[in-house]
Amino acid sequence: MLQHVAVGHKNLADYTHIVGRQLVEEIRSLADGLEGKRVLHLSATAFGGGVAEILYTLVPLMSDVGLHCEWHVMLGREEFYNVTKRLHNALQGSPDAPTPEEWEIYDHYNRLNAEQLADGWDVVVVHDPQPAGVRNYVPEKAKRWIWQCHIDLSEPNRSALERLLPLVRDYDAAVFHLDRYVPEELRARPGRPVHISPPAIDPLSPKNMRLSPEDAAFVCEQFGLDVDRPLMCQVSRFDPWKDPIGVIDAYRQVRAEMPAVQLALVGSMATDDPEGWEFYNRTVAYADGDPDIHILNNLNNVGAIEVNAFQSQADVLVQKSIREGFGLTVSEGLWKARPMVAGNVGGIPLQVIDGRTGFLVSTPEECAERSLRILRDPELGRRLGLAGKEHVRANFLTPRLLRDWLRIFKQA
Ligand code: UDP
């Protein structure tokens, strides 16, 4: 019932030339003494969204340094995902919290998954709220339980948070991306630490490896883009928090000044995101048949290489989120040395330092103005992009995340 995700192999040694010998050596010495520890990552989906993206790299690297590490995905059906999507939105501040009946559905699936869970783990790392309830049914199945929250809990719908807290309070530790996301109730637990560790991207994955400009242009041409004209691009799930409608507004303002500009909205459909299609259709309707707005999703065969190509090809990358846990797409874009114009929310300001590694914006007007500035001044774009790449190298590549996790495990 719980699905085991096959992640393949990765070697930490392959990252040495990218992140430097010092970090790799630190990781090896932290791993010393953790060999053979049985670590399970439990999440809601193996496809779409940031958590899956991280685990495809983190899990094989944990194995490479000697842990016995597995990743299992919980069973859910549409009724469950409808509830968890509402819960996710409520925890990020939406007034529309799950009803008592919906919480029953949540509890039901969490109990089913708890029963299915294998026994004998040293550590189970539970990702996000969807499987957070599993622990309370079977605390004896692991020596330590860690809850990693990937979302922004700084301004939650209180009723949703209060219903969630009893499910996560007894975890041995919690991990958040930013200090300000940690609810007070979780800080005040003696002997149960809260760790702060932002996520990271894999520089060697097909999504982030170096593509030649010719290959990137070739891929974009396959999707009907004119690679000789300027391109703005946002890569994101179709979700109101990612504000693709605002991106279209910004593009229209840029286009009024620079008619050659094109826009690509590249968004995958997560299996746990039933609202995705509805919002996708709204975005398509809003584009109103403009042939220079290219709206693409994974059903158009947009996979990792294509995302890489669009990010590498774009003259301006946009991430106009209104709420954002971290925003992996921002690190992905910066790593390709592209200038980023991004919403001043959540984890984005960690990555985009305004005026140095990109521009932070709050409205479509600001987004249009900064985008235009970059499009008119390629040297500015180049400078922002190069600074962004070095910022990501120093802070947001997976070996740093692996180091953080080994430190957390070491505290056991
Ligand atoms: N993504 C993708 N294909 C798409 C859209 C998004 O592979 O069409 C990936 C994107 O590259 C990133 C992840 O999904 O790695 C999204 O993570 P992020 O933290 O930006 O947002 P989340 O979806 O977790 O809110």
Side-chain angles (χ1 to χ4, degrees):
M1 216 141 120
L2 276 160
Q3 220 180 327
H4 176 271
V5 184
V7 290
H9 298 282
K10 289 190 190 289
N11 291 319
L12 179 63
D14 293 342
Y15 295 76
T16 313
H17 70 288
I18 302 173
V19 297
R21 186 163 302 280
Q22 200 182 339
L23 178 56
V24 170
E25 277 168 8
E26 186 186 352
I27 290 169
R28 299 249 184 248
S29 84
L30 282 166
D32 199 18
L34 292 173
E35 296 87 356
K37 285 262 184 229
R38 288 174 52 82
V39 175
L40 174 69
H41 290 271
L42 181 61
S43 78
T45 175
F47 181 75
V51 177
E53 194 67 27
I54 291 162
L55 292 180
Y56 274 112
T57 300
L58 187 62
V59 169
L61 283 177
M62 282 187 175
S63 300
D64 184 59
V65 299
L67 282 74
H68 174 101
C69 187
E70 292 183 27
W71 172 16
H72 295 181
V73 168
M74 72 188 301
L75 160 99
R77 294 204 203 293
E78 196 179 342
E79 55 172 358
F80 175 66
Y81 294 131
N82 285 332
V83 174
T84 57
K85 184 72 199 214
R86 195 187 301 275
L87 173 61
H88 179 109
N89 287 344
L91 290 170
Q92 295 211 118
S94 151
D96 185 22
T99 62
E101 294 72 38
E102 288 177 323
W103 275 107
E104 271 177 34
I105 294 172
Y106 175 93
D107 290 337
H108 171 72
Y109 280 92
N110 269 267
R111 194 177 55 245
L112 279 180
N113 280 278
E115 286 162 5
Q116 293 286 321
L117 190 74
D119 218 337
W121 300 100
D122 289 302
V123 185
V124 174
V125 182
V126 175
H127 293 268
D128 271 348
Q130 298 96 323
V134 163
R135 182 200 169 278
N136 282 356
Y137 294 107
V138 286
E140 72 288 355
K141 286 190 176 178
K143 290 191 189 129
R144 262 182 106 208
W145 291 80
I146 301 177
W147 185 52
Q148 158 119 62
C149 179
H150 295 262
I151 60 182
D152 176 350
L153 295 189
S154 56
E155 291 168 48
N157 175 311
R158 283 308 303 182
S159 84
L161 181 66
E162 267 152 33
R163 181 62 171 75
L164 179 75
L165 281 171
L167 304 178
V168 296
R169 211 176 343 235
D170 294 334
Y171 278 72
D172 300 287
V175 182
F176 284 81
H177 293 166
L178 267 72
D179 188 65
R180 69 167 191 276
Y181 292 178
V182 184
E184 283 313 312
E185 295 87 338
L186 288 185
R187 286 185 205 273
R189 302 175 313 148
R192 299 179 190 274
V194 175
H195 304 278
I196 304 301
S197 173
I201 61 164
D202 180 358
L204 297 180
S205 67
K207 182 172 292 173
N208 296 313
M209 68 190 192
R210 205 186 128 69
L211 270 190
S212 72
E214 296 76 21
D215 287 342
F218 175 80
V219 171
C220 290
E221 265 181 333
Q222 307 285 300
F223 288 91
L225 273 103
D226 180 346
V227 296
D228 296 322
R229 286 165 50 203
L231 175 63
M232 295 170 68
C233 172
Q234 172 160 301
V235 175
S236 270
R237 289 179 294 110
F238 286 97
D239 180 310
W241 304 111
K242 309 287 186 183
D243 198 22
I245 302 287
V247 179
I248 293 178
D249 286 338
Y251 150 83
R252 288 192 170 129
Q253 290 172 35
V254 172
R255 193 182 173 89
E257 308 274 328
M258 187 181 270
V261 73
Q262 307 163 91
L263 173 66
L265 292 173
V266 179
S268 71
M269 301 293 174
T271 50
D272 65 345
D273 187 4
E275 278 175 7
W277 281 108
E278 193 192 319
F279 197 68
Y280 172 83
N281 291 335
R282 263 172 57 196
T283 309
V284 171
Y286 197 73
D288 197 23
D290 182 337
D292 286 322
I293 301 181
H294 299 263
I295 302 181
L296 305 168
N297 66 51
N298 44 325
L299 299 185
N300 302 120
N301 258 336
V302 176
I305 293 281
E306 288 76 11
V307 168
N308 187 339
F310 279 99
Q311 288 172 331
S312 302
Q313 176 72 23
D315 299 284
V316 175
L317 279 169
V318 179
Q319 185 58 58
K320 221 204 103 2
S321 305
I322 294 167
R323 274 293 176 99
E324 190 63 79
F326 178 70
L328 280 173
T329 51
V330 175
S331 275
E332 291 165 6
L334 293 177
W335 180 243
K336 282 138 203 153
R338 308 315 300 154
M340 247 2 265
V341 175
N344 191 4
V345 292
I348 291 177
L350 287 183
Q351 305 169 74
V352 173
I353 300 159
D354 194 38
R356 197 163 77 74
T357 68
F359 289 121
L360 292 172
V361 296
S362 301
T363 61
E365 291 68 33
E366 281 176 0
C367 181
E369 194 274 329
R370 303 297 191 284
S371 300
L372 203 53
R373 211 194 287 177
I374 292 169
L375 290 170
R376 285 183 170 147
D377 182 358
E379 178 48 35
L380 169 65
R382 214 181 70 84
R383 211 168 54 234
L384 295 171
L386 286 176
K389 178 161 184 141
E390 290 316 307
H391 185 58
V392 170
R393 189 197 304 279
N395 296 289
F396 302 116
L397 298 182
T398 321
R400 190 273 306 152
L401 183 62
L402 175 63
R403 181 201 60 193
D404 291 356
W405 274 108
L406 296 180
R407 282 181 179 164
I408 292 169
F409 293 158
K410 266 279 173 13
Q411 285 190 12

